[in-house]
Amino acid sequence: MSRAVLCLVAWLLLFPAGLRAAEASCDSAGGEQATALAGEFAPQGVDVRHRSKTVRPGDDFFTFVNEGWIASTPIPDGYWDYGQTSILAATVEGQIKGLLQRSLSSRSPRGTPEQQVGDVYASFLDTAGIEGRGLSSIKADVQAILGSTTREDIARWMANPTSSSIIAINVFPAERRWRVHLDQQNLAQPMLGLSNPDAYTRNDGSHPAGRQAYKAYITAVLERIGADHAAIRAQRLLALETRIAGNFWSLEKLRDRKANYHPMTVGQLMAYAPGFPWRAFLTARGVVDETDIVLGTDTAIQQQARLFADTPLDDWKSYLAFHWVQNQMDVLPESLRQASWDFYGKTLSDAKTPPAREDVALRLVSSAFGHQVGRLYAERYVTERTKRSADEMIAYLRQAFAERLETATWMDEATRAEALAKLAEFSFKVGYPGIWRDFSTVRISRDDAAGNLRRIRAADWEYQRRRLDPAFKHEPWYQTPQTVDASYSVLLNAIELPGAFLQPPYFDADADPAVNFGAIGAIIGHEMGHGFDDQGIVYDSRGRLREWWSDQALERFHDRTRALIDHYDAFAPYPDVHVNGKQTIGENIADLSGVLLAYRAYRMYAADHPCMKRPSLDGLTGDQRFFTAWAQAWRYKAPESAIRHVIEYSYHSPTPYRVNGVVQNIDEWYLAFAVKPGDKLYLSPEKRVRIW
């Protein structure tokens, strides 16, 4: 048997079908025959057609890889900006749409995911039934809200999962157990009607007109539900939300993990933040008997409690009544839905046409009942082979990170040992949960869209609340399998990689390993990097907030992060605006760490499979394909307004700098693309930032 065949047999025995399937098979002469793939990224995951013919990689690597795509791809209607994740999200949406269509005709037993998803989807599509019921589904609740006579009544309404509230409540782990967590942010219960706190106070651009349009929209909603003095209520509600927004923490402060951890008893909470009826609120949520809770954004909560006490009761009734309607808008009559779209779609987002009802219903099902949809999605689209392949990649990434920690000369041995322990405790949740959430007892009816939505929201909170019981068996997944994203939890020291992300162009078990490592591998490495970014390092291997770095190692770490902050501060997409290196430092550390880890993991993988080496594919070496995959993963097109918004309100740098800012600091990229002094992206070796 030839050496090439022996190598292939050994590989087949050692590794399951997965990354190996992406490589060419080795024949007895040592030749190779690549597996051809169909589609835009054929044959091996890299789209060479859209490379620039005029821009050199060393001058602008993002544009070098993506120029043709940017030039030939319009931003579709309904999108503000558009990129590779948008494309994959649309693919996933199509997959979900197929699942929902099939579920409509399902005759599965009551309580099964198929029955519940099909019936709730049917109810959200039933516009005739929604029109026929009119406002009957909310009339009694609105009247009860407007008839509230005490502040305890208001607090109890704020505790309702369908309501909006100035106090966000969740159940999160802290110090190795689940606790009630209170802060200023809760996407499931939006506190504000405008998109961000600045929208209430800024007087540049479209902000003043937006506030006037919002006030008119509030007036229209309050008139529609029969509230008296609707215009006056709307004016006062806008003023109230302006004060609520004024209590919010800045983006920079929100990143501070230590500042967001303030444990206390209920009694201490009442003393710290007087003015809010805490016992009424917590009793309505079923958690008043918890011995302690955690405040995030503690001073914001304190100020909101003071605001609650200082604000007339009638203003809170207006706030609750308006948001009770707004939070159920998609299951209410067309006259209200149209008014909502005119404001949020046309005025604020400059959208041209409202979404089709099928798309609205799909979004509602996916957001409200996402874990039930996820069970159907995982069964249909996430194969065991895909999971095994991803697990294999993760093993190499873990090995690469361990090597970097072991060879980081700037770390002392005690800190290194703690860091390696944290890496060893990393949990990787791939594809979908091992224990699914049980919503089988939730009553779902095909002719009660609003009731379904409220019951699902209540059941979701009940699931969260049950986590407080140490005997409750569950696997904490924050994302659904159909989410196009990955995440890291410092509290659980765990990474989630949903199945929807394990698709081309980010990952394919039949794609070239260089491309898989350069795309999804670097994204997984990014999430691993968050465990050791400027906020991740304050948590130990068990998710406990404690000091485990030596003073010397910490100072050396911060020397490197300061250099990276300066590096990104220098990026200026427009003369009057620069990237905020301090605001984006966590994501920039993660990006740089992710690509470095993924590259080393790829080289380790290649070393373990010598018979699989190829000089080139599509005219690119393995290293060139790796870095091209990273740049290709961040294809992006956006108007100036979107870029400015990202810089001001996001923790991420705009995507061109997520590419260029990273590769500038990686020696192997310079070698792969022959980048020399004089090229615009060239940094001398001593100026390249090296953290992990």
Side-chain angles (χ1 to χ4, degrees), residues 323-341:
H323 284 288
W324 187 261
V325 176
Q326 182 58 42
N327 293 347
Q328 302 176 82
M329 188 58 70
D330 288 329
V331 292
L332 295 178
E334 174 62 21
S335 59
L336 278 168
R337 295 201 306 272
Q338 183 63 45
S340 179
W341 185 83

Side-chain angles (χ1 to χ4, degrees), residues 342-373:
D342 285 343
F343 173 64
Y344 286 106
K346 188 184 299 183
T347 301
L348 287 193
S349 302
D350 198 28
K352 306 305 180 188
T353 56
R357 185 62 196 180
E358 278 193 356
D359 295 331
V360 172
L362 183 147
R363 174 176 53 80
L364 269 176
V365 177
S366 296
S367 60
F369 223 21
H371 286 275
Q372 291 293 73
V373 175

Side-chain angles (χ1 to χ4, degrees), residues 31 43 60 87 219 251 303 365 383 439 491 595 604 612 632 657 669 679:
D60 183 345
I87 296 170
T219 301
L251 286 174
Q303 290 164 345
V365 177
T383 67
F439 291 114
L491 301 173
V595 178
M604 288 176 166
M612 296 295 120
Q632 183 177 272
Y657 309 119
W669 172 75
D679 291 340

Side-chain angles (χ1 to χ4, degrees), residues 15-22 385 388-389 392 507-511 516:
F15 290 91
L19 292 177
R20 69 163 191 258
R385 179 169 177 250
R388 288 196 303 270
S389 299
E392 183 181 26
F507 180 79
D508 191 324
D510 291 320
N516 279 336

Side-chain angles (χ1 to χ4, degrees), residues 47-103:
D47 181 5
V48 297
R49 299 168 304 156
H50 284 134
R51 284 184 298 178
S52 175
K53 295 179 174 57
T54 57
V55 176
R56 295 184 302 175
D59 287 339
D60 183 345
F61 191 59
F62 173 82
T63 301
F64 168 73
V65 172
N66 297 312
E67 184 180 56
W69 181 87
I70 294 170
S72 62
T73 305
I75 298 177
D77 289 344
Y79 287 84
W80 188 15
D81 53 0
Y82 191 66
Q84 195 63 68
T85 53
S86 310
I87 296 170
L88 180 54
T91 297
V92 172
E93 186 173 293
Q95 294 169 337
I96 294 172
K97 190 173 292 186
L99 293 172
L100 295 184
Q101 288 293 336
R102 285 191 289 275
S103 71

Side-chain angles (χ1 to χ4, degrees), residues 248-260 297-300 535 651:
F248 277 28
W249 280 12
S250 67
L251 286 174
E252 184 178 317
K253 193 172 182 180
L254 282 172
R255 288 195 67 250
D256 188 336
R257 291 286 183 172
K258 292 181 180 178
N260 275 277
T297 64
D298 52 10
T299 58
Q535 295 302 309
Y651 292 123

